[in-house]
Amino acid sequence: VVKKHRNFAGSSTSKHKRHSVTCFAVADTPTRRFPPLSLVQTTRIMGSLKRMSALDLSAVVQDVTQHVVGMKLANIYSMSKRVFLMKFTGKDRKAFLLIESGLRVHITEFEHETDAAPNGFVMKLRKHIKNKRLNKVEQLGFDRVLHLQFGAGETAYSVFVEVYGTGNVLLTDSNRSILALLRQQTYGQAPLGASAEDGEANMAQIAAMRATYPVVGAQLPEQATVAWVRSVLENKAARDAQKQPAASQPDGTQPKSKRRGKKSHTSHATVTNALSESVLGPQLALQAMAHVEGGDRDYVDAMEDNAYLEKVVKGVNSALLIVQHVRDGQARGLLKAVVKHDDNHHLGKHAKKTDG
């Protein structure tokens, strides 16, 4: 699976007049780490790849397992309200893990300017996990959630990084009871209301609530079947039925959409879109349909065509094989950025390359 996005123009105020980036989900070339750009720069440069997918996160797990697991967390730094840097040290080596809530998490080989004073959330992280060893990293099912475990047994702590929606970063104890979180959110029955700016008082209030972080992630099928594909299409049909336009107005006309040019959901009534909205996600859905003879079809018609569904099954299984290769370490995951400059400036105040 290879996705390329090139030649995204910078803003008129940017020192870097032109940026180009190539993003790979799976490749066999050596990894080039993505520099710690700001949220605005990241969104602009990455184009339609605005955040890491579940497949990207699977590749990150292998990368972190190979290069960071077993090392001691020397310190944690804040670079902004939602960007953090973890510094790990080992025997004659060090590693940096960059976390941007809701967007990405990966190893970086760049030096960084950090905030002069860490926020309350970072202070909470330092209190519990600084100088602890990273014992495990895993993905929750095939969700866009990364789990970092520091220490072992009853004294272990976990950091969960959510790379979906508006994102979040959470600290829990060995029982997954939430001790602190970056963004206000509700998990389970307990409403959690503290954020990084709220300080230790509200952080302590959260600890008293003892809400438990859910760790059951969406699971990919071991192997797709016609029944599984048909259930995906049926679920898509049920969701679309709930999106039907409101009832007619008294004059018999349909209410107009408030958004100009808004298309009907029927324009997305395809097998590809149904698979994209399933646990597969857009990347694997496109990969699967690329192998389907006859191409994409309306999912309602496809549900009644067993021969076509068999072809979709073969495509899905080929996509699942890619995931297996990533998880087994047979394919390398990377996020590659090539930034073109009009002068010899570096990547801005947040990054300075260390390896020349």
Side-chain angles (χ1 to χ4, degrees):
V1 180
V2 179
K3 298 191 293 183
K4 297 183 178 181
H5 308 287
R6 292 188 178 276
N7 301 330
F8 291 93
S11 67
S12 58
T13 59
S14 174
K15 292 182 179 179
H16 317 301
K17 301 295 183 180
R18 185 185 180 196
H19 302 270
S20 65
V21 63
T22 304
C23 301
F24 299 86
V26 180
D28 292 323
T29 54
T31 300
R32 300 281 295 176
R33 313 295 185 191
F34 198 80
L37 303 176
S38 68
L39 174 62
V40 174
Q41 288 174 309
T42 301
T43 304
R44 180 176 66 243
I45 292 177
M46 294 179 72
S48 61
L49 185 62
K50 295 180 179 179
R51 67 186 76 244
M52 283 185 165
S53 68
L55 181 60
D56 299 324
L57 209 57
S58 295
V60 168
V61 168
Q62 295 302 318
D63 197 28
V64 175
T65 298
Q66 181 180 353
H67 296 100
V68 185
V69 167
M71 299 179 72
K72 184 179 294 186
L73 181 63
N75 214 338
I76 311 164
Y77 308 94
S78 58
M79 297 173 60
S80 70
K81 291 182 179 179
R82 57 185 298 171
V83 184
F84 309 96
L85 186 69
M86 290 185 172
K87 178 182 179 180
F88 293 88
T89 56
K91 185 177 181 180
D92 300 326
R93 66 190 182 99
K94 60 182 179 180
F96 294 91
L97 188 66
L98 183 71
I99 297 173
E100 184 162 8
S101 177
L103 285 180
R104 57 194 173 120
V105 51
H106 54 81
I107 299 171
T108 179
E109 295 174 350
F110 290 75
E111 290 182 350
H112 318 274
E113 290 187 9
T114 57
D115 294 341
N119 59 40
F121 180 68
V122 169
M123 293 300 294
K124 190 75 172 181
L125 293 177
R126 288 181 178 181
K127 176 181 177 181
H128 290 283
I129 63 177
K130 184 178 177 180
N131 294 323
K132 282 189 172 289
R133 200 171 301 276
L134 178 62
N135 280 354
K136 181 174 68 174
V137 58
E138 63 181 355
Q139 182 180 11
L140 298 190
F142 199 61
D143 279 342
R144 287 173 289 172
V145 181
L146 190 70
H147 171 214
L148 304 166
Q149 180 181 313
F150 296 87
E154 295 183 355
T155 60
Y157 291 91
S158 292
V159 173
F160 293 92
V161 183
E162 298 178 350
V163 194
Y164 63 86
T166 52
N168 213 348
V169 182
L170 304 96
L171 172 69
T172 75
D173 62 15
S174 59
N175 296 318
R176 305 193 313 278
S177 295
I178 299 174
L179 304 177
L181 76 171
L182 176 65
R183 184 183 62 84
Q184 178 178 341
Q185 178 69 335
T186 299
Y187 294 94
Q189 300 298 320
L192 305 177
S195 64
E197 295 81 8
D198 291 328
E200 289 292 327
N202 282 346
M203 294 291 184
Q205 182 180 2
I206 286 180
M209 292 180 178
R210 288 299 184 190
T212 301
Y213 186 75
V215 294
V216 179
Q219 299 293 331
L220 288 170
E222 293 185 5
Q223 190 163 353
T225 62
V226 169
W228 184 86
V229 172
R230 183 176 281 112
S231 69
V232 168
L233 302 183
E234 290 173 348
N235 289 337
K236 168 70 171 173
R239 289 193 300 272
D240 284 353
Q242 297 177 352
K243 299 177 185 177
Q244 290 293 340
S248 300
Q249 296 179 1
D251 60 359
T253 61
Q254 293 291 335
K256 296 182 179 180
S257 172
K258 295 182 179 180
R259 293 175 59 185
R260 181 179 297 177
K262 184 178 180 181
K263 295 182 179 180
S264 169
H265 70 277
T266 56
S267 63
H268 301 288
T270 64
V271 175
T272 299
N273 279 290
L275 293 176
S276 296
E277 295 176 14
S278 73
V279 65
L280 293 179
Q283 277 182 319
L284 293 183
L286 290 173
Q287 179 70 22
M289 293 305 294
H291 292 268
V292 176
E293 182 181 349
D296 207 0
R297 289 177 54 178
D298 182 280
Y299 68 80
V300 176
D301 296 335
M303 280 192 285
E304 307 302 324
D305 189 342
N306 283 337
Y308 179 78
L309 292 182
E310 289 283 2
K311 297 176 182 178
V312 176
V313 167
K314 292 181 179 179
V316 172
N317 284 329
S318 71
L320 294 177
L321 187 60
I322 291 176
V323 179
Q324 192 61 48
H325 285 168
V326 172
R327 289 177 168 177
D328 292 343
Q330 300 179 39
R332 302 189 66 178
L334 58 90
L335 199 60
K336 179 179 179 181
V338 179
V339 183
K340 296 181 179 179
H341 308 275
D342 290 345
D343 49 33
N344 294 322
H345 285 89
H346 290 289
L347 294 174
K349 67 177 183 178
H350 292 296
K352 181 172 65 177
K353 198 171 182 181
T354 61
D355 57 5

